[in-house]
Amino acid sequence: MTTRVLTGITPSGTPHLGNYVGAIRPAIAASQASGIESFFFLADLHSLIKAQEPERTQRSTLEIAASWLACGLDAEKVWFYRQSDIPETTELMWFLTAIASKGILNRAHAYKAAVDKNREEQQDEDAGISAGLFMYPVLMAADILIFKANRVPVGRDQIQHIEMARDFAQRFNHVYGKEYFPLPEVVIDEQVATLAGLDGRKMSKSYHNTILLFAPRAELKKLVFAILTDSRAPGEPKTTEGSALFQMYQAFASAEQTAAFAQAFADGISWGDAKQQLFERIDAELTPLRERYEALMAEPEKIEALLRRRGQQLREQYAMPLLKELRHAVGLRDLSSAGNIAGDAATETRAAPPLFKQYREKDGRFYFKLLAGDGSLLIQSEGFDSPRDAGQVIGVLKQTAHGDGLQSELFKIEAEVETVLAALQELRG
């Protein structure tokens, strides 16, 4: 059975070596596995939330598209497309908006952080916050559900958005009485490589310590030689632990090459020689990529044609048939086929059921909560050491029929006891 894996790519300028090692290279490798149907999209609609600079948006989208293609993404074997070329996505977003709980959106991390910042600065809590930021999780859910993705690789800061997509999918399926969407699973790669930058901190545009992926050869050498090292002299043994230079070499070398480089450190290689070896190792891998990138950037019309063609194929194969089905499901139908409209009241949609949700917070502990059909909070747990511990308490709660069973230090009741018991009864069927 084919597994659909969807990856969103934010157009935010030319990538650096950290992006290549931590995201681009492993994602392309994963897309080549058997049994996987991969979807890679340029999230240009999402980018509008942070930047309203048309030329920058256009240029960034071109650079990111050229970067992934240059690094080996085969656009004929995976789905590589531009988010804005799939108008069915925004239509689906509205269908999801109609059933999404505002209470859930209120708890989105990015929105809450912006509100908290305004409160700290004693401003109106919604000052400077756009509706786009607030609705970001719904658009992300539409990106995922439009192609019925089974797995979504994300960073830990995006886990909540996948949980929301699952919630919206589950509500839509229930309200309209059919399993229109599978529930997507989050994929967290615990082995994601994080590359140190020129100053030893994590390579990041925020720290201005990056090496651009397609920097010209002379500039690449100059930047490699600018990597921060200590004052140990030639002939003096050097440690690989905590060395940004060694870590970067390791990211571009085989196990045998890395072992030899580690031995050179122990033998007291000079920093100049070590940096020269690092430069040669990186340049050997990047030279063909750089040449492909420059060729692609010289013919942007070919990238445009590719994205439009693959986007149209994707629409015709998946998005348009799905939206035709969903329009009928929600009642946006041909009026001439309505028949006895008065009799259609019998098919009124049902309210969403109560829902237990498990999640992990930044403190590393596992929590759960019980939500009513309208998204209001009924039970909030304390933190548990493992998801299994949390699941065991949920199992006990599901069998609770009396108020005595709701008295515990492991969770807090956030509504009237009768309301909570009624919700638990509904879950038991």
Side-chain angles (χ1 to χ4, degrees):
M1 183 176 178
T2 300
T3 299
R4 295 184 184 177
V5 180
L6 181 136
T7 301
I9 306 164
T10 303
S12 58
T14 307
H16 51 69
L17 293 189
N19 301 138
Y20 173 68
V21 169
I24 299 175
R25 191 171 63 183
I28 292 175
S31 74
Q32 297 165 353
S34 61
I36 298 293
E37 184 177 16
S38 295
F39 297 73
F40 292 87
F41 71 94
L42 300 162
D44 54 349
L45 294 179
H46 284 299
S47 73
L48 301 181
I49 296 171
K50 294 184 178 180
Q52 291 84 44
E53 301 173 55
E55 289 75 17
R56 177 183 173 187
T57 297
Q58 179 188 32
R59 181 70 182 181
S60 293
T61 304
L62 173 62
E63 289 180 348
I64 294 298
S67 297
W68 281 75
L69 292 170
C71 289
L73 188 71
D74 188 339
E76 303 303 329
K77 294 183 179 179
V78 305
W79 293 107
F80 186 50
Y81 60 100
R82 185 168 38 196
Q83 184 185 31
S84 60
D85 284 340
I86 313 294
E88 290 77 13
T89 301
T90 48
E91 186 173 358
L92 175 56
M93 178 189 176
W94 185 250
F95 292 173
L96 298 177
T97 299
I99 55 92
S101 164
K102 181 176 180 291
I104 290 178
L105 293 175
N106 285 340
R107 294 189 285 275
H109 295 325
Y111 173 68
K112 281 182 64 179
V115 169
D116 291 344
K117 184 174 183 291
N118 283 335
R119 287 172 177 164
E120 289 173 7
E121 297 175 355
Q122 297 185 331
Q123 298 187 58
D124 179 89
E125 63 179 30
D126 283 325
I129 300 176
S130 70
L133 176 66
F134 186 73
M135 295 299 293
Y136 177 98
V138 188
L139 178 55
M140 184 169 174
D143 292 325
I144 296 167
L145 300 179
I146 188 74
F147 299 122
K148 300 184 179 182
N150 306 112
R151 303 173 67 194
V152 187
V154 294
R156 292 197 170 277
D157 60 332
Q158 294 286 320
I159 293 176
Q160 185 192 45
H161 290 143
I162 311 305
E163 292 176 344
M164 288 181 172
R166 289 172 59 87
D167 180 86
F168 302 153
Q170 192 170 37
R171 285 173 184 274
F172 191 97
N173 291 344
H174 178 79
V175 168
Y176 293 105
K178 181 181 173 182
E179 295 298 309
Y180 291 99
F181 304 112
L183 303 187
E185 297 288 341
V186 65
V187 178
I188 300 293
D189 186 354
E190 301 290 356
Q191 306 302 317
V192 169
T194 55
L195 210 60
L198 301 177
D199 58 2
R201 293 182 294 176
K202 176 184 175 181
M203 188 174 288
S204 170
K205 293 172 186 174
S206 302
Y207 297 148
H208 306 290
N209 66 351
T210 63
I211 298 176
L212 293 182
L213 179 56
F214 301 114
R217 192 169 188 274
E219 183 181 343
L220 174 62
K221 183 173 184 178
K222 180 180 178 181
L223 289 169
V224 167
F225 273 75
I227 294 173
L228 187 66
T229 52
D230 60 35
S231 59
R232 274 175 277 196
E236 188 176 353
K238 298 167 178 64
T239 179
T240 59
E241 186 176 351
S243 169
L245 193 151
F246 181 82
Q247 183 206 40
M248 196 174 295
Y249 186 93
Q250 187 175 29
F252 287 88
S254 66
E256 293 78 10
Q257 291 167 333
T258 300
F261 200 52
Q263 185 59 52
F265 266 51
D267 293 341
I269 187 174
S270 72
W271 288 126
D273 287 344
K275 290 177 179 180
Q276 180 64 29
Q277 288 190 32
L278 172 60
F279 163 69
E280 291 172 357
R281 179 91 303 278
I282 295 176
D283 190 56
E285 181 166 336
L286 297 189
T287 292
L289 278 57
R290 187 190 304 121
E291 291 172 355
R292 287 201 295 269
Y293 176 77
E294 290 171 353
L296 286 162
M297 289 296 290
E299 296 182 302
E301 66 278 3
K302 290 187 177 181
I303 296 178
E304 177 66 22
L306 169 67
L307 292 173
R308 284 186 178 274
R309 175 171 61 84
R310 292 300 274 164
Q312 184 60 30
Q313 290 171 340
L314 195 50
R315 289 185 66 203
E316 292 172 359
Q317 185 166 334
Y318 291 126
M320 294 169 73
L322 176 62
L323 263 294
K324 181 179 180 181
E325 182 183 18
L326 297 184
R327 289 188 195 110
H328 186 273
V330 302
L332 304 183
R333 304 170 181 172
D334 182 341
L335 300 184
S336 65
S337 63
N340 181 7
I341 296 177
D344 288 348
T347 64
E348 236 179 85
T349 56
R350 296 165 286 170
L355 176 69
F356 272 107
K357 295 191 70 175
Q358 287 184 255
Y359 57 97
R360 189 178 190 180
E361 280 289 7
K362 292 181 180 179
D363 61 5
R365 292 172 67 77
F366 296 86
Y367 295 78
F368 69 79
K369 54 190 169 187
L370 174 62
L371 301 175
D374 62 0
S376 59
L377 184 62
L378 302 179
I379 296 176
Q380 174 62 60
S381 79
E382 298 297 325
F384 294 87
D385 291 333
S386 72
R388 180 180 179 182
D389 293 341
Q392 288 176 341
V393 177
I394 290 173
V396 173
L397 276 171
K398 284 182 177 179
Q399 303 306 315
T400 299
H402 303 286
D404 303 1
L406 299 178
Q407 298 177 9
S408 173
E409 295 181 354
L410 300 176
F411 53 81
K412 182 179 179 183
I413 303 302
E414 301 286 355
E416 295 293 330
V417 171
E418 292 76 12
T419 301
V420 177
L421 291 175
L424 294 171
Q425 173 62 36
E426 186 176 350
L427 284 173
R428 290 194 296 274

